[in-house]
Amino acid sequence: MAKAVRNFISGIWSDSVEGKWFVSRNPADTREVIAEVPLSVRADVDRAVSAARAAQPDWRLLPAPRRGEILYRAGELLIKNKQALGELVSREMGKVIAEGLGDVQEAIDIAFYMAGEGRRLQGETVPSELADKDCKSLREPLGVVALVTPWNFPIAIPAWKLFAALICGNTIILKPSSETPACAAALVEILAEAGVPAGVVNLVCGPGEEVGEYLLTHPDVDAASFTGSCAAGERLERLLAPLHRPLALEMGGKNAIIVMDDADLKLALEGAIWGGFGTSGQRCTAASRLIVQERVYDRFVKLLAERAASLRLGNGLKMDTDVGPLINDAQGRKVLEYIRIGKEQGAKLVVGGYRLADGELADGFFIAPTIFADVTPAMRIAREEIFGPVVSVITFSTLDQAIDIVNDIPFGLSSAIYSRDVNITARAERELQTGVVYINASTIGAEVQLPFGGWRHSGSGHPEAGGKGGAIDFFSRVKVIYRDFSGKLQKAQIDK
Ligand code: UN1
């Protein structure tokens, strides 16, 4: 059943130069090996970078609408293979099948969005201050770009980066998380089948420190894009600073939902459960803080506890599973450590807080959906990203206090507010310091036609996905052209 994943370099599926392997496993049942994968070394990265460099001139010069047609075909192939890919996501990453299919759907959406960009890729034309002169800007690719992607959206996040980079005319080396290489390989296979020429997209699998970091800092790479932990992102910022290389980072979050007294509590409850425990809380957009106004606090905590206790844990491929496993033991242990810290700092554990390992759950790392009440904003569980099924509930009395609590942490990715009062939601919309704000909806579920990115420590300010200010701006650079057709020396105002 195990698939043999290979590196993909110059259009050829190949082993690592040293011939070593590692395996990726099903986190819901680690006895199941999903794929055997090349344990690549630096020489593999060198080969992939050379391949991308060699393919760069032809790909850059292929008209963008033609590049778009290839992406369109990739979108069609993703639709055709959606069920199988969704199941692969669920098996390799652990998320429930509905979310696995959603992961693929995000890739489909971005494929068609970026395919259409092939007929836009707009620059601008503006009038010149001189007669017989015109001024315009146009977009050019950055060149060879390195992408390093995480395991929590193993098809969607590589697709966001790949399709945006490709439509702009870049050639690529993708290094996916070692937890989910089979998903990345399946996506690359689809791109190859769609007609992406040899060398334009290259895949190298292997460990983050050895292969990922070497790739992102490689002397012959022109730009780098990384989604992952804050610690890794900050390290990359330091390493890449002397290289003067464009770097896009999407990192952590500690996203909050504000629940006002006047909110539709049933709706807020559904949003809190979905945002807190979807993907087992392993989303950078997870709603890990609930900030609930005094008058409804006790009632809301009670409702939350009941709903959280009713969630069924299990293998994501089973239709009645609500919450899957953690990605691996290390992540599971980290989450348990935060649960210990929460108790130690005096938060009130109202539900969950333990690992489940009986019967079918014995060979995965499952943690019961966990809710802490009476959390104060200074506690570590209210400030640090846990990346697991742990939600902290904090109370407040005024809207200003709630907004301060949301904003008073280093992260700034996503936030939400539930209220029926348009004046309250308008003020929150203006004051919340996050890249994405939801009104009467949870903190997750960003769509691809608008930019997606975190503020402050959550990101480098180069959002993913579509829309003005989105990924096209990162993966292209602007060239400005002034053309003088007067046939004489004309001086601009400033030169006179
Ligand atoms: C992530 O968790 O890294 O808005 C990305 C969302 C998804 C993307 C999450 N569309 O939750």
Side-chain angles (χ1 to χ4, degrees):
M1 189 84 181
K3 196 175 147 70
V5 163
R6 297 277 187 281
N7 288 338
F8 189 64
I9 298 174
S10 296
I12 295 163
W13 295 95
S14 54
D15 295 341
S16 160
V17 289
E18 288 192 354
K20 291 189 185 143
W21 297 84
F22 68 100
V23 295
S24 89
R25 294 176 183 276
N26 181 343
D29 181 348
T30 52
R31 292 168 304 178
E32 186 191 350
V33 171
I34 304 297
E36 291 172 341
V37 190
L39 186 73
S40 307
V41 292
R42 292 176 173 208
D44 296 299
V45 174
D46 291 338
R47 285 185 55 220
V49 172
S50 305
R53 178 62 63 199
Q56 181 32 223
D58 285 354
W59 185 245
R60 174 170 75 88
L61 294 175
L62 187 69
R66 297 279 93 79
R67 298 198 293 261
E69 284 164 15
I70 296 175
L71 298 193
Y72 191 91
R73 275 199 295 279
E76 289 179 319
L77 288 167
L78 284 164
I79 291 176
K80 196 171 136 208
N81 293 286
K82 182 174 174 181
Q83 186 64 29
L85 289 168
E87 285 170 17
L88 178 63
V89 169
S90 183
R91 283 172 60 229
E92 195 174 42
M93 184 278 164
K95 63 174 75 175
V96 297
I97 180 67
E99 292 181 31
L101 294 169
D103 208 305
V104 183
Q105 187 60 46
E106 285 205 44
I108 294 168
D109 295 343
I110 199 75
F112 290 132
Y113 181 92
M114 290 300 168
E117 276 304 302
R119 289 191 181 269
R120 286 183 290 267
L121 279 187
Q122 282 136 344
E124 41 184 350
T125 50
V126 292
S128 168
E129 62 191 45
L130 298 171
D132 296 333
K133 181 183 173 195
D134 52 28
C135 316
K136 68 176 178 184
S137 68
L138 43 89
R139 290 179 185 275
E140 295 207 350
L142 298 168
V144 172
V145 305
L147 311 177
V148 174
T149 54
W151 45 262
N152 68 333
F153 280 83
I155 299 266
I157 293 180
W160 294 352
K161 293 185 195 291
L162 276 164
F163 295 159
L166 285 171
I167 199 65
C168 292
N170 300 286
T171 52
I172 293 155
I173 308 97
L174 169 66
K175 204 303 280 181
S177 163
S178 294
E179 300 290 349
T180 53
C183 290
L187 180 62
V188 169
E189 218 173 312
I190 279 180
L191 281 168
E193 195 183 333
V196 170
V200 170
V201 172
N202 303 277
L203 174 75
V204 180
C205 301
E209 313 80 62
E210 173 75 12
V211 173
E213 198 168 294
Y214 179 66
L215 168 64
L216 293 167
T217 56
H218 194 283
D220 203 27
V221 159
D222 298 306
S225 175
F226 169 81
T227 298
S229 73
C230 281
E234 281 163 18
R235 189 178 150 73
L236 289 172
E237 275 178 325
R238 281 193 298 275
L239 288 172
L240 266 70
L243 300 175
H244 302 288
R245 173 174 304 173
L247 170 64
L249 298 172
E250 283 302 335
M251 300 178 283
K254 188 72 188 178
N255 316 289
I257 296 179
I258 299 174
V259 182
M260 301 299 292
D261 282 346
D262 73 327
D264 176 339
L265 280 198
K266 214 170 144 264
L267 189 67
L269 177 68
E270 294 308 318
I273 294 288
W274 169 226
F277 302 121
T279 331
S280 312
Q282 300 171 114
R283 287 194 185 208
C284 58
T285 50
S288 54
R289 296 187 294 162
L290 301 178
I291 305 190
V292 185
Q293 204 164 10
E294 280 164 350
R295 206 152 56 80
V296 292
Y297 180 77
D298 288 341
R299 205 165 122 222
F300 198 70
V301 169
K302 188 165 163 287
L303 290 171
L304 267 173
E306 282 166 15
R307 280 287 277 117
S310 74
L311 297 173
R312 285 159 306 215
L313 276 82
N315 189 311
L317 283 179
K318 282 174 54 183
M319 293 316 283
D320 61 352
T321 297
D322 297 308
V323 179
L326 279 295
I327 188 70
N328 57 31
D329 280 17
Q331 187 60 26
R333 279 196 296 276
K334 181 183 154 200
V335 174
L336 290 179
E337 173 61 7
Y338 270 109
I339 291 171
R340 192 194 64 71
I341 292 167
K343 289 193 237 171
E344 186 185 85
Q345 293 197 317
K348 183 172 150 205
L349 181 64
V350 290
V351 69
Y354 49 85
R355 179 179 180 182
L356 284 149
D358 289 340
E360 285 180 8
L361 306 186
D363 291 296
F365 210 115
F366 292 87
I367 293 180
T370 299
I371 292 178
F372 278 106
D374 300 349
V375 175
T376 62
M379 288 179 186
R380 286 184 60 192
I381 56 168
R383 307 188 68 79
E384 295 172 24
E385 185 175 50
I386 299 174
F387 228 60
V390 180
V391 169
S392 297
V393 198
I394 302 170
T395 194
F396 70 93
S397 51
T398 67
L399 177 63
D400 285 347
Q401 280 173 357
I403 288 169
D404 284 349
I405 295 169
V406 177
N407 291 342
D408 181 30
I409 51 162
F411 298 110
L413 180 54
S414 176
S415 60
I417 183 164
Y418 283 85
S419 169
R420 290 182 166 110
D421 184 332
V422 67
N423 296 335
I424 288 178
T425 59
R427 278 181 54 212
E429 181 181 315
R430 191 184 63 198
E431 299 302 331
L432 290 168
Q433 300 295 305
T434 56
V436 189
V437 175
Y438 291 89
I439 314 293
N440 290 322
S442 193
T443 55
I444 66 179
E447 302 179 33
V448 303
Q449 62 276 26
L450 284 171
F452 173 84
W455 289 7
R456 295 177 286 136
H457 287 221
S458 290
S460 60
H462 299 293
E464 306 275 2
K468 288 197 172 67
I472 297 276
D473 280 352
F474 176 74
F475 286 112
S476 63
R477 51 188 166 190
V478 170
K479 181 182 277 177
V480 171
I481 316 280
Y482 293 109
R483 182 176 51 173
D484 190 314
F485 50 97
S486 67
K488 58 184 190 239
L489 175 66
Q490 296 201 94
K491 288 183 179 170
Q493 296 261 53
I494 46 169
D495 291 328
K496 280 184 181 152

